[in-house]
Amino acid sequence: MASPERNKKILLEMVKQPSNDHCADCGAPEPDWASYKLGVFVCVNCSGTHRDLPAISRIKSIRLDFWDDSLVEFMKTRGNAAANAFYEKCVPLFYYRPQEKDCVVLKDQWIRAKYERREFTGESNSLQQGYSSGLYEGILWKKGKDNKQFLKRRFLLSETDFTLRYFTKEDSKKPKAVISMKDLNAVFQPEKIGHAHGLQISYLEEERTRNLFVYHDNSQEIVSCFNAIRATRFAYLKKVNPNARDSDLVPLITRSSIKEGYMEKTGPTQWEPFKKRWFILNLTDRKLSYFKSSLDALELGAVFIGTEGHGYSVREGQPKGSRSGRWRFGVTLETPDRQFVFLCDQEQDQREWIEAFKLVISQPMLPQVEASHKR
C-alpha cells in the first residue's frame, strides 16, 4: 500500500537535485508540479500547458496530490536531465528557448514543440522546416502606420539576400518595404499590442528605429515566424562575423528591452515644456529610444548610454532651477554632451528606471557597439 508521506518525501528530495530544481521547460526555480507520464518537474505556469496535452502529459502537485508507488518509481527513473536530453536533443542554436518571464505563447509553443510535435528529438528533420528552411512566407495582421486598424499583409523572409519584405496586397510583386537583417529585431509584446500573439518587429530606417506591430491568430504560426526571423538573422550574423563563436552571436540574434514605459522629457535648456513620451531601453545596443506613444511606428529620437568611464551617470531628482512638469519623480541622466531630465509618474517607476540605467552604465561596451557609436 502506498505511503503518502513517504512518497511525498521522496519527491521533495528529487526536486532538490540540480537537474530537477528548475522547471524543465522555462527554468523557473523550485517547481512544485510534475508530469508522471514524461517524468519531468515543472512550474505552475508550465503545468497549465501540460494539462492541455492529456495524451502526452499528466500533471500532479508534488506537495498536495496523492502519488502511487509506481508513479514515484517511474519519476526516479526519469527526471529533467534525462527527459531534456531526449526531447531537446536537436534544438537549433537560433531557436528561442523561453524563460520564466516570457509570454504565454512562447512557453506554450515551446512545450508543444518539445513533447507533442517532438520537433527536437531528431526523429524527423521535416518538423523544423517551417522556420529552418531559409525561407518563410505568411500572412500576418499588421497595424497601420497612422491608425489603430490591423490589416492583412503578406510577409516574405529570405536567407538568400537576408531580407524581410512585406506586401500590401497578397498577390503583389512589389514590396511595401524591404528590411535588412543587419539591424532587425523581433520581440513579443502581447500587452502592448493587445493580442496574445502580438509581435513587434523593429529595424533602422535612415538611422531611426521603425516598428511594425503584427500578430497571427494561430500561435504555432506566429512562433514559427519569430524563429524563422531568428534563423535568418543568425545566418546573417555568422556571415558578417565568420570568426566569431556561435555562443557570442546567439545573444545578439534578437534583443528584449530591459525597461519600457512612459516618462516626461524636457529639452536641452531644461526650460522647454515637459512632454510625455514612451521610452525603450535596450541593454545590447545601449540605446534609449523614445516615441510619442507605445504603438508609434517611428522613433522620435534616441540617447546612447556609455559607461561611467566614458562620462555617463544617473541620479535621482532633477537639477535645481529646472522646469517642473506634471509628474514629480525626477531622473537625471548625465552624458558627455548634455544632461537629460526625465520625470516619472510613480516613485516605483523612478526606482526602476534608475536601476535600469545603472545596469547599462555598469556593463562594458561590446567592441562592435562602441565602433558603431563612434561612427
Side-chain angles (χ1 to χ4, degrees), residues 14-206:
M14 287 183 65
V15 82
K16 293 178 183 178
Q17 296 172 7
S19 59
N20 298 329
D21 61 355
H22 285 72
C23 174
D25 298 323
C26 77
E30 301 178 358
D32 277 338
W33 300 81
S35 168
Y36 59 86
K37 287 193 74 172
L38 296 170
V40 295
F41 294 90
V42 298
C43 69
V44 62
N45 291 324
C46 290
S47 72
T49 299
H50 280 264
R51 281 196 180 87
D52 291 338
L53 305 173
I56 308 295
S57 183
R58 293 293 178 90
I59 288 288
K60 281 180 179 284
S61 167
I62 63 174
R63 298 178 182 275
L64 303 177
D65 290 330
F66 173 81
W67 284 77
D68 189 78
D69 289 346
S70 62
L71 298 183
V72 174
E73 290 302 312
F74 174 76
M75 293 299 297
K76 284 182 180 180
T77 67
R78 298 297 192 273
N80 292 0
N84 284 344
F86 176 73
Y87 288 106
E88 297 181 12
K89 180 181 178 182
C90 299
V91 181
L93 285 173
F94 64 79
Y95 196 97
Y96 188 80
R97 296 170 179 255
Q99 303 300 305
E100 178 185 5
K101 294 183 179 180
D102 279 312
C103 62
V104 172
V105 67
L106 275 172
K107 290 188 283 188
D108 176 78
Q109 283 303 308
W110 167 243
I111 291 168
R112 291 177 181 275
K114 277 178 67 174
Y115 306 115
E116 184 179 44
R117 299 192 293 270
R118 294 166 72 126
E119 292 181 17
F120 314 121
T121 61
E123 297 166 283
S124 174
N125 292 331
S126 64
L127 295 173
Q128 298 182 11
Q129 285 298 302
Y131 47 81
S132 293
S133 66
L135 182 70
Y136 170 86
E137 184 171 7
I139 304 297
L140 303 177
W141 289 93
K142 174 190 169 293
K143 178 184 174 294
K145 177 183 173 182
D146 301 315
N147 57 57
K148 297 181 180 180
Q149 188 176 11
F150 281 81
L151 301 169
K152 282 186 176 182
R153 295 291 182 256
R154 180 167 65 94
F155 282 77
L156 179 62
L157 178 71
S158 175
E159 195 175 300
T160 304
D161 58 0
F162 298 115
T163 61
L164 173 66
R165 292 171 164 83
Y166 77 88
F167 304 79
T168 54
K169 297 181 179 179
E170 291 186 30
D171 58 352
S172 175
K173 293 184 179 180
K174 184 178 180 180
K176 174 69 173 178
V178 180
I179 304 166
S180 168
M181 287 293 115
K182 181 177 182 294
D183 298 298
L184 185 142
N185 188 40
V187 61
F188 277 93
Q189 294 278 16
E191 292 83 9
K192 182 195 289 189
I193 295 173
H195 193 284
H197 308 159
L199 183 69
Q200 178 177 325
I201 300 171
S202 305
Y203 60 98
L204 286 184
E205 183 179 86
E206 297 179 351

Side-chain angles (χ1 to χ4, degrees), residues 304-319:
F304 178 81
I305 302 174
T307 66
E308 187 175 1
H310 290 86
Y312 294 81
S313 63
V314 64
R315 67 177 184 273
E316 180 183 323
Q318 60 187 110

